[in-house]
Amino acid sequence: MSPTPAKRTAGRPRTPVLSAEQIVDAAFALAKTAGPEGFTMAALARSLSVHPPALYHYFRGKADVVRAMRGRVAEMLDVTGFDDPATRLDDAVLRWAHSYRTAFAAHPAGIALLATTAIDGQERSVLNYESITRRLLAEGWPSSGVVDAIVALESFIIGSALDALAPADIMSPGSAAGVAPEFSRAEARRSVRAAARGIRLTDRSFEIGLLALLAGLPASLAAADEAERS
């Protein structure tokens, strides 16, 4: 006598087919292959082998998904130094910038999507900016220029995140060295110096650029503020 087949349980499955975390994971993967223009809810649903309505149980639409993606990156950023009076501003910025660069280097495909989408409604991102703003104001930076300073720093950091993914010899002139002897020697000296310090070339460039921004931004903001008042 053959065994009686088990009856199927009616109703919804005990384990959800999707989760918000799975959708965000898939969103980052989709951004890598589709780019900003191909990033749609329909494409995201296809990548998860579900119908688009299944996504709307978790997110109201594309903007909501991007907001969640931004939130995940924001959670990776270290802004604790800005809230700690014992931490020098330079050190707080360096800590934040390094964590920012690492976060975007881990999700390079999301850079174009996140960098061109408003932060509207993403509380973690806004709270990060609040911490930075409060500290810059406490340090005497002009209120009218604080956001400009943050954007200038972010522009450099995001570009550096892409540079961190480049091959180590990206600036090597190779067979064209003969036509640019000064550049070739400068690049060779840079490589030797970085090797002596045991750091990557992209890390050295990042440190130099970041410190230059930190040194020059306050004076630049003050000059712009003065010019606007005159």
Side-chain angles (χ1 to χ4, degrees):
M1 185 175 179
S2 59
T4 304
K7 293 183 179 181
R8 294 185 60 185
T9 303
R12 296 182 177 180
R14 293 178 181 177
T15 304
V17 176
L18 285 178
S19 70
E21 287 297 309
Q22 286 176 309
I23 295 171
V24 174
D25 287 341
F28 276 109
L30 178 63
K32 184 176 182 179
T33 58
E37 293 184 1
F39 190 92
T40 64
M41 293 297 277
L44 182 57
R46 285 195 299 272
S47 74
L48 288 161
S49 300
V50 299
H51 295 294
L55 304 182
Y56 291 95
H57 289 295
Y58 301 90
F59 298 99
R60 293 187 296 272
K62 174 182 171 180
D64 210 19
V65 174
V66 174
R67 192 173 294 117
M69 294 169 69
R70 185 183 296 281
R72 178 176 292 184
V73 171
E75 291 289 346
M76 299 171 68
L77 307 190
D78 184 355
V79 297
T80 56
F82 294 103
D83 298 322
D84 180 10
T87 301
R88 294 175 59 251
L89 177 61
D90 286 4
D91 292 334
V93 172
L94 285 169
R95 190 186 302 174
W96 167 67
H98 276 285
S99 66
Y100 203 145
R101 182 176 179 240
T102 299
F104 264 130
H107 299 292
I111 290 177
L113 189 65
L114 298 180
T116 56
T117 304
I119 66 170
D120 176 35
Q122 214 311 297
E123 289 189 7
R124 182 66 262 172
S125 292
V126 173
L127 286 172
N128 285 351
Y129 289 130
E130 178 70 4
S131 292
I132 298 170
T133 300
R134 286 179 180 273
R135 181 59 183 273
L136 294 180
L137 292 175
E139 295 281 340
W141 291 43
S143 178
S144 60
V146 163
V147 176
D148 290 324
I150 293 172
V151 172
L153 288 165
E154 283 192 322
S155 297
F156 174 73
I157 295 165
I158 291 169
S160 294
L162 291 175
D163 187 48
L165 302 173
D169 61 350
I170 190 171
M171 294 301 290
S172 173
S175 60
V179 302
E182 295 301 330
F183 170 74
S184 300
R185 279 191 289 271
E187 170 60 10
R189 285 194 293 268
R190 182 176 82 116
S191 299
V192 169
R193 180 171 295 182
R197 293 178 58 194
I199 64 172
R200 297 189 309 161
L201 288 170
T202 55
D203 293 339
R204 181 172 184 268
S205 299
F206 179 63
E207 292 282 354
I208 291 172
L210 195 57
L211 291 173
L213 275 171
L214 283 172
L217 270 171
S220 297
L221 292 177
D225 202 36
E226 180 64 28
E228 289 169 2
R229 285 200 302 265
S230 62

